[in-house]
Amino acid sequence: MTPRSSANLRRRLLREHAALRRALLARHVLRAFALCAVALAIAVLAGVALPGGTGLATTRLVLFALAGLVGLALAVTRLRTELPRFEPWLESLEARLPELRSWLRNALDLEAAPAHHTSAELAGALREEAARRLAAAPIAAGRARVRPR
Protein backbone atom coordinates (compact mmCIF):
# COMPACT_ATOMS: atom_id res chain seq x y z
CA MET A 1 0.00 0.00 0.00
CA THR A 2 1.33 3.39 -0.88
CA PRO A 3 1.36 6.31 1.56
CA ARG A 4 -1.20 7.98 -0.71
CA SER A 5 -3.75 5.19 -0.21
CA SER A 6 -3.20 5.19 3.55
CA ALA A 7 -3.87 8.93 3.54
CA ASN A 8 -7.09 8.13 1.69
CA LEU A 9 -8.27 6.18 4.74
CA ARG A 10 -7.83 9.16 7.04
CA ARG A 11 -9.23 11.53 4.42
CA ARG A 12 -12.34 9.38 3.93
CA LEU A 13 -12.92 9.17 7.67
CA LEU A 14 -12.47 12.93 8.04
CA ARG A 15 -14.87 13.50 5.12
CA GLU A 16 -17.53 11.25 6.72
CA HIS A 17 -17.04 12.95 10.08
CA ALA A 18 -17.45 16.37 8.46
CA ALA A 19 -20.61 15.19 6.68
CA LEU A 20 -22.05 14.07 10.01
CA ARG A 21 -21.23 17.43 11.57
CA ARG A 22 -22.84 19.28 8.63
CA ALA A 23 -25.99 17.16 8.90
CA LEU A 24 -26.27 17.91 12.62
CA LEU A 25 -25.71 21.61 11.94
CA ALA A 26 -28.45 21.60 9.29
CA ARG A 27 -30.84 19.86 11.66
CA HIS A 28 -30.33 22.41 14.41
CA VAL A 29 -30.41 25.41 12.08
CA LEU A 30 -33.74 24.22 10.68
CA ARG A 31 -35.11 23.78 14.20
CA ALA A 32 -34.07 27.33 15.10
CA PHE A 33 -35.68 28.65 11.90
CA ALA A 34 -38.86 26.73 12.70
CA LEU A 35 -39.03 28.33 16.14
CA CYS A 36 -38.52 31.76 14.57
CA ALA A 37 -41.27 31.06 12.04
CA VAL A 38 -43.68 30.08 14.82
CA ALA A 39 -42.74 33.19 16.81
CA LEU A 40 -43.28 35.37 13.73
CA ALA A 41 -46.67 33.78 13.07
CA ILE A 42 -47.70 34.40 16.67
CA ALA A 43 -46.51 38.03 16.48
CA VAL A 44 -48.43 38.63 13.25
CA LEU A 45 -51.60 36.97 14.59
CA ALA A 46 -51.32 39.00 17.79
CA GLY A 47 -51.04 42.15 15.65
CA VAL A 48 -54.18 41.20 13.74
CA ALA A 49 -56.13 40.27 16.88
CA LEU A 50 -54.92 43.18 19.02
CA PRO A 51 -54.27 46.27 16.90
CA GLY A 52 -52.90 48.65 19.50
CA GLY A 53 -50.60 51.11 17.80
CA THR A 54 -46.87 51.51 17.83
CA GLY A 55 -46.41 50.60 21.50
CA LEU A 56 -47.91 47.14 21.08
CA ALA A 57 -46.12 46.67 17.76
CA THR A 58 -42.80 47.46 19.45
CA THR A 59 -43.60 44.97 22.22
CA ARG A 60 -44.40 42.29 19.64
CA LEU A 61 -41.16 43.04 17.81
CA VAL A 62 -39.12 42.78 21.02
CA LEU A 63 -40.84 39.53 21.98
CA PHE A 64 -40.20 38.14 18.49
CA ALA A 65 -36.52 39.11 18.73
CA LEU A 66 -36.27 37.48 22.18
CA ALA A 67 -37.88 34.30 20.88
CA GLY A 68 -35.39 34.27 18.00
CA LEU A 69 -32.47 34.69 20.40
CA VAL A 70 -33.80 31.93 22.67
CA GLY A 71 -34.20 29.65 19.64
CA LEU A 72 -30.66 30.42 18.53
CA ALA A 73 -29.27 29.81 22.03
CA LEU A 74 -31.12 26.50 22.31
CA ALA A 75 -29.91 25.40 18.88
CA VAL A 76 -26.29 26.27 19.66
CA THR A 77 -26.46 24.55 23.06
CA ARG A 78 -27.95 21.37 21.63
CA LEU A 79 -25.56 21.42 18.69
CA ARG A 80 -22.53 21.69 20.97
CA THR A 81 -23.69 18.70 23.02
CA GLU A 82 -24.43 16.55 19.95
CA LEU A 83 -21.42 17.38 17.76
CA PRO A 84 -18.98 14.51 18.11
CA ARG A 85 -15.25 15.00 18.07
CA PHE A 86 -13.26 12.78 15.73
CA GLU A 87 -11.91 10.27 18.26
CA PRO A 88 -15.24 9.56 20.05
CA TRP A 89 -16.96 9.35 16.66
CA LEU A 90 -14.38 6.83 15.49
CA GLU A 91 -14.99 4.75 18.62
CA SER A 92 -18.75 4.86 18.08
CA LEU A 93 -18.24 3.87 14.45
CA GLU A 94 -16.22 0.84 15.48
CA ALA A 95 -18.82 -0.07 18.11
CA ARG A 96 -21.69 0.27 15.61
CA LEU A 97 -19.96 -1.64 12.81
CA PRO A 98 -18.28 -4.80 14.13
CA GLU A 99 -16.49 -5.42 10.82
CA LEU A 100 -14.42 -2.28 11.50
CA ARG A 101 -13.68 -2.97 15.18
CA SER A 102 -10.01 -2.22 15.91
CA TRP A 103 -9.10 -2.15 12.21
CA LEU A 104 -9.50 1.60 11.82
CA ARG A 105 -7.85 2.56 15.07
CA ASN A 106 -4.85 0.28 14.46
CA ALA A 107 -4.44 1.47 10.86
CA LEU A 108 -4.61 5.13 11.88
CA ASP A 109 -2.22 4.57 14.80
CA LEU A 110 0.31 2.85 12.55
CA GLU A 111 -0.10 5.62 10.00
CA ALA A 112 0.49 8.36 12.58
CA ALA A 113 3.44 6.72 14.35
CA PRO A 114 4.81 3.55 12.77
CA ALA A 115 5.97 1.05 15.37
CA HIS A 116 9.67 0.20 15.25
CA HIS A 117 9.01 -3.48 15.89
CA THR A 118 6.40 -3.83 13.11
CA SER A 119 7.35 -4.48 9.52
CA ALA A 120 6.33 -1.98 6.88
CA GLU A 121 4.66 -4.77 4.88
CA LEU A 122 2.48 -5.77 7.82
CA ALA A 123 1.52 -2.16 8.53
CA GLY A 124 0.70 -1.66 4.84
CA ALA A 125 -1.42 -4.80 4.76
CA LEU A 126 -3.29 -3.65 7.86
CA ARG A 127 -4.01 -0.23 6.35
CA GLU A 128 -5.07 -1.83 3.07
CA GLU A 129 -7.48 -4.22 4.82
CA ALA A 130 -8.87 -1.37 6.94
CA ALA A 131 -9.43 0.72 3.81
CA ARG A 132 -11.16 -2.22 2.10
CA ARG A 133 -13.43 -2.81 5.11
CA LEU A 134 -14.19 0.90 5.36
CA ALA A 135 -15.16 1.05 1.68
CA ALA A 136 -17.63 -1.81 2.20
CA ALA A 137 -19.10 -0.47 5.46
CA PRO A 138 -22.38 1.50 5.50
CA ILE A 139 -20.95 4.52 7.32
CA ALA A 140 -23.48 7.02 5.97
CA ALA A 141 -26.33 5.05 7.57
CA GLY A 142 -25.31 6.49 10.94
CA ARG A 143 -25.45 10.07 9.75
CA ALA A 144 -27.98 12.37 11.35
CA ARG A 145 -31.15 12.78 9.36
CA VAL A 146 -33.36 15.84 9.23
CA ARG A 147 -36.61 14.46 10.59
CA PRO A 148 -39.95 16.23 10.23
CA ARG A 149 -41.82 16.99 13.43
Side-chain angles (χ1 to χ4, degrees), residues 6-128:
S6 67
N8 286 339
L9 177 66
R10 177 171 285 284
R11 190 172 30 241
R12 169 131 192 257
L13 287 169
L14 288 172
R15 201 171 42 240
E16 288 294 333
H17 181 249
L20 170 69
R21 292 173 66 92
R22 281 191 306 273
L24 284 170
L25 178 66
R27 176 192 292 175
H28 290 288
V29 164
L30 288 173
R31 285 181 182 170
F33 282 154
L35 181 70
C36 287
V38 168
L40 180 62
I42 290 171
V44 168
L45 289 175
V48 170
L50 305 169
T54 58
L56 195 55
T58 304
T59 303
R60 285 193 319 268
L61 179 63
V62 168
L63 290 175
F64 168 69
L66 285 174
L69 288 175
V70 166
L72 180 64
L74 284 173
V76 168
T77 302
R78 288 181 179 167
L79 181 64
R80 292 192 71 190
T81 60
E82 286 186 31
L83 272 181
R85 299 209 185 279
F86 183 71
E87 292 298 322
W89 173 76
L90 192 58
E91 289 175 13
S92 71
L93 187 66
E94 288 181 334
R96 187 171 47 91
L97 300 169
E99 64 269 15
L100 296 177
R101 189 163 293 134
S102 78
W103 285 96
L104 295 177
R105 174 102 26 208
N106 290 335
L108 291 175
D109 287 346
L110 280 175
E111 179 182 309
H116 298 293
H117 57 281
T118 304
S119 71
E121 293 83 16
L122 179 61
L126 175 71
R127 288 191 303 263
E128 186 176 312

